[in-house]
Amino acid sequence: METLRGTVERIVFTNEENGYTIARLSVRGRYDLLTIVGNMAGVQPGAVLRVSGRWKNHPTYGEQFVVEDYAEERPATVEGIRKYLGSGLIKGIGPVTAGRIAEHFGTYTLDVIDEDIQRLVEVPGVGPHRVKIIAEAWETQKAIKDIMLFLQSHNVSTRLAVKIYKTYGDESIEMVQSDPYRLARDVYGIGFITADSIARNLGVPEDAPSRLQAGLIHTLNTLADAGHVYVPQSKLIADAAQILKQPPEIIEPELVSLTEAERIFIDPDIDPDAPAVYLMPFYRAEVAVAQRLHRLLKDPARDPLAGFAATDWAQMNTFIREKDGWALADRQLDALKTALTERVCLLTGGPGTGKTTTIRAILRVLAAKGHRVLLAAPTGRAAKRMTETTGHEAKTIHRLLEVDPGEGFKFKRNEQNPLLADMLIVDEVSMVDLILMNNLLKAVSPGTHLLLVGDADQLPSVGAGNVLRDMLDSGEIPTVRLDVIFRQAQNSTIITNAHRVNHGEFPQFPADKTDFYFFGKNDADAVAPLVVDIVANRVPRKFGAHPVRDIQVLAPMHRGSAGVAKLNELLQATLNPPKPGLPEYQSGSRLFRTGDKVLQLRNNYDKDVFNGDIGFIQSINLEDGEVFIRFDDRPVLYELSDLDEITPAYAMSVHKAQGSEYPIVVLPMLTQHYMMLQRNLLYTAITRAKEMVILVGTRKAIAMAVKNNRVSKRWSGLVGRLQAN
């Protein structure tokens, strides 16, 4: 064992889940910076550390000091204090103010802040208002430091300590001690693994009922994150046993306790040989969706569109031709008739088959008769596109339902306060998960016609369920499937290749077309640099496209040499490098700069920003600990501790791109992505592009995706419930 003392110059990497950190340490007497690695949760640039550990030689990164124990000391030099205060640790103190404070008070700076913080008004540029902000932040930071001392041995980062403090306040330590597994339920960013680590260190036995129950709930949540609505009981017990490292026979009895507490529901009717275990919200939602759909289909309430039952549909088509200059094809006319005469209708089909044209015709007819129509889509980008293509305002489903953050994030629109419309049209329904569909159906009033539009061959929703596919498979909902590619769409290689892929055929790259390209590259490590060159140089130079606004890089996976994480790192460095005078902020392993294109990772009802929304960082203010991000010309305020909800979006996963369209899509395809190389993923990626698709990688990877039509099965009971009602 050896002990070193030095100042942290910068953080290279932090794992936000377990606190594992790679940092560069400046040690007196050493001219080069040392690399230290280990669990050092919450360490900031400028911190003075005393670390104990051993040297090792990493085969790739060279000599490293592996930290086994460390203690954080107060910086003793003016420069150390400046770095410490200017790291973004204290709201109200940024690098400039930190320099002034440290220069004014010297090595006594931290004593002054501790004992007589009002003296900060002596510093030029620091007035009473800023002193008040700093004082409040310093007190909060001291409270967080106390929590950190408690949590430090459990590898909880400063960022998560801040969230724990925001959730529980001064009762944080007491709450964590009494039930550490609450953290996984209450605090965004803390999962079961972290909560379990804390619990184990607090002495919670491995076979404690609280631990076993938390492990079961965690297993159910993990499988729900993979899209499953329920889990066969045997699968649940086996997976939980593996996570908990406990025998199945002591885990299974805890299902009774969870059932009695109404946290889960066990349904033996789904499969008598394998009872289905649901998290209670999913069970209630699945039952309610089936009941509400049947109620809408059979409701005897007055039908505001009843007059269309006697329509001469050929004459109606003539009316549309006279008004808009085009007529509907036979299948489109069937969709128009079904939507206007059935209470619920599914309209599905691939790109170029006329779904949007059909919607526009329905809107034309309803407007002519004076009927009220509402339009919605799951994401802001999908709603904006729907507005542009139809000429009618479309809202996100969340905004349509009027989410109310003050009421526990419930929706104001529900059975008691339904939506007022004669027809509700919802696009991109393949993206709608079970919980959101249930909330939507709650708000559909009796008599309102519901038209659900989507492409069932795309990837299913990110959330649990496969609602569109289940409704189609049930055979219970009136459905029209558009399957003819219109002549104008046949000129698009994007559309023809999308259908080729969907039919299991290899895409074509015609030399006489400029909308579909393939760049072959067998060396996996060379693919990401080539993608960057295509985005930053080749396409902008040849086609005049903007590398950020017009081009979206999609990737099948997050990890790997051409995964989302690596591509974002390289694209950010090329498209938005550091600029003198503009601050940047490191949040865990993510680096943010002014001008960055970013993606929201979760629904934040307080901010009115939702999972999948794209924004641009307008400003980063380290002094005030604030970041402004522009979403559709609307600035939204984030505190630095909120930035775990944001990730760079120069590249994103294909799943995150659902419901969106981009002028140009660049997609790396490598055999190292084999786990995700599925037909519906490639099909979804291709159909995101309006003007151009560029595939980069190997033909073998493309062929693997085209041939792999084994869509991952999602456990869902909705088909059976729809057929049983």
Side-chain angles (χ1 to χ4, degrees), residues 101 126 132 146 156 169 179 186 196 275 284 388 403 449 581 603 626 683:
I101 294 172
V126 180
K132 182 181 178 182
D146 291 339
V156 177
D179 182 7
D186 298 344
D196 192 44
R284 289 174 175 154
E388 292 168 350
V403 67
H449 283 231
N603 291 338
E626 296 176 345
Y683 173 76

Side-chain angles (χ1 to χ4, degrees), residues 480-501:
V480 178
R481 190 183 302 269
L482 304 179
D483 54 9
V484 176
I485 307 175
F486 285 92
R487 185 175 303 157
Q488 61 269 30
Q490 291 174 358
N491 294 323
S492 165
T493 317
I494 295 172
I495 290 176
T496 56
N497 272 339
H499 286 276
R500 286 182 65 85
V501 167

Side-chain angles (χ1 to χ4, degrees), residues 174-312:
E174 179 185 342
M175 296 296 289
V176 172
Q177 286 177 322
S178 63
D179 182 7
Y181 294 106
R182 284 191 59 171
L183 294 173
R185 301 197 301 271
D186 298 344
V187 183
Y188 175 73
I190 294 184
F192 171 79
I193 303 301
T194 300
D196 192 44
S197 172
I198 296 170
R200 302 291 296 115
N201 279 284
L202 288 172
V204 176
E206 287 188 349
D207 59 353
S210 61
R211 180 173 186 265
L212 302 180
Q213 291 174 25
L216 285 164
I217 295 296
H218 166 70
T219 305
L220 283 166
N221 278 317
T222 300
L223 289 161
D225 289 342
H228 300 293
V229 178
Y230 73 83
V231 186
Q233 184 170 315
S234 56
K235 166 73 173 172
L236 171 63
I237 298 300
D239 284 8
Q242 191 170 4
I243 292 167
L244 293 164
K245 295 181 172 56
Q246 294 296 302
E249 55 268 21
I250 74 164
I251 297 173
E252 191 164 356
E254 297 304 327
L255 291 174
V256 176
S257 299
L258 289 171
T259 302
E260 291 173 348
E262 295 190 350
R263 296 188 66 190
I264 67 170
F265 183 87
I266 301 176
D267 189 341
D269 296 330
I270 297 289
D271 183 347
D273 297 325
V277 184
Y278 289 80
L279 287 166
M280 189 59 81
F282 292 121
Y283 173 73
R284 289 174 175 154
E286 188 174 89
V287 171
V289 165
Q291 291 176 342
R292 289 190 168 102
L293 283 170
H294 274 281
R295 195 176 303 141
L296 288 172
L297 283 166
K298 301 173 182 177
D299 201 304
R302 183 188 68 84
D303 183 355
L305 306 184
F308 286 107
T311 296
D312 182 329

Side-chain angles (χ1 to χ4, degrees), residues 437-454:
M437 179 57 74
N438 184 39
N439 282 300
L440 177 67
L441 294 176
K442 283 181 186 178
V444 179
S445 60
T448 296
H449 283 231
L450 178 62
L451 174 60
L452 302 173
V453 185

Side-chain angles (χ1 to χ4, degrees), residues 291-609:
Q291 291 176 342
R292 289 190 168 102
L293 283 170
H294 274 281
R295 195 176 303 141
L296 288 172
L297 283 166
K298 301 173 182 177
D299 201 304
R302 183 188 68 84
D303 183 355
L305 306 184
F308 286 107
T311 296
D312 182 329
W313 298 103
Q315 186 176 346
M316 180 70 76
N317 210 5
T318 301
F319 165 78
I320 294 169
R321 183 189 298 110
E322 290 172 351
K323 289 292 184 180
D324 296 312
W326 42 260
L328 298 177
D330 290 345
R331 194 64 63 88
Q332 291 175 306
L333 194 60
D334 287 344
L336 174 70
K337 176 182 177 181
T338 306
L340 296 176
T341 58
E342 297 283 356
R343 299 296 183 93
V344 183
C345 173
L346 300 179
L347 175 60
T348 186
T353 58
K355 295 193 300 295
T356 299
T357 301
T358 304
I359 293 172
R360 288 167 57 194
I362 292 170
L363 291 172
R364 162 68 72 188
V365 170
L366 290 173
K369 297 290 186 179
H371 290 290
R372 299 167 298 174
V373 188
L374 293 174
L375 276 62
T379 67
R381 287 170 290 165
K384 183 177 181 182
R385 183 159 57 88
M386 195 180 188
T387 300
E388 292 168 350
T389 57
T390 65
H392 287 66
E393 182 191 13
K395 296 181 179 180
T396 65
I397 295 174
H398 286 90
R399 291 193 176 101
L400 182 75
L401 299 181
E402 300 176 25
V403 67
D404 185 359
E407 291 294 326
F409 305 123
K410 294 180 180 178
F411 293 106
K412 293 179 181 177
R413 293 291 183 175
N414 49 38
E415 299 99 325
Q416 287 73 43
N417 183 29
L419 297 165
L420 300 177
D422 298 328
M423 177 175 283
L424 169 61
I425 303 175
V426 185
D427 199 6
E428 297 287 356
V429 177
S430 63
M431 296 179 64
V432 179
D433 61 37
L434 182 69
I435 298 294
L436 186 56
M437 179 57 74
N438 184 39
N439 282 300
L440 177 67
L441 294 176
K442 283 181 186 178
V444 179
S445 60
T448 296
H449 283 231
L450 178 62
L451 174 60
L452 302 173
V453 185
D455 185 347
D457 293 320
Q458 288 187 22
L459 290 168
S461 58
V462 174
N466 200 354
V467 178
L468 177 59
R469 172 57 61 188
D470 285 350
M471 288 192 293
L472 289 167
D473 289 347
S474 74
E476 295 294 314
I477 314 295
T479 300
V480 178
R481 190 183 302 269
L482 304 179
D483 54 9
V484 176
I485 307 175
F486 285 92
R487 185 175 303 157
Q488 61 269 30
Q490 291 174 358
N491 294 323
S492 165
T493 317
I494 295 172
I495 290 176
T496 56
N497 272 339
H499 286 276
R500 286 182 65 85
V501 167
N502 204 29
H503 295 140
E505 300 171 5
F506 199 85
Q508 296 176 333
F509 309 101
D512 61 336
K513 294 294 183 70
T514 59
D515 63 347
F516 214 100
Y517 294 92
F518 172 68
F519 285 78
K521 186 66 70 173
N522 290 320
D523 181 2
D525 292 335
V527 167
L530 177 55
V531 167
V532 173
D533 187 36
I534 289 169
V535 172
N537 302 309
R538 299 192 191 194
V539 172
R541 189 166 54 237
K542 185 170 182 177
F543 299 100
H546 191 281
V548 178
R549 292 193 301 268
D550 297 333
I551 305 174
Q552 182 60 58
V553 177
L554 304 179
M557 294 184 70
H558 283 274
R559 298 180 181 177
S561 60
V564 171
K566 185 64 176 177
L567 287 166
N568 266 320
E569 177 188 329
L570 295 175
L571 287 163
Q572 182 192 49
T574 303
L575 300 174
N576 193 26
K579 298 179 182 68
L582 285 181
E584 54 186 44
Y585 183 74
Q586 186 92 33
S587 175
S589 58
R590 299 171 187 145
L591 178 66
F592 295 104
R593 296 187 179 121
T594 301
D596 272 340
K597 181 182 181 181
V598 294
L599 174 74
Q600 177 76 13
L601 295 173
R602 66 185 288 253
N603 291 338
N604 188 318
Y605 300 107
D606 288 321
K607 299 183 190 300
D608 196 27
V609 180

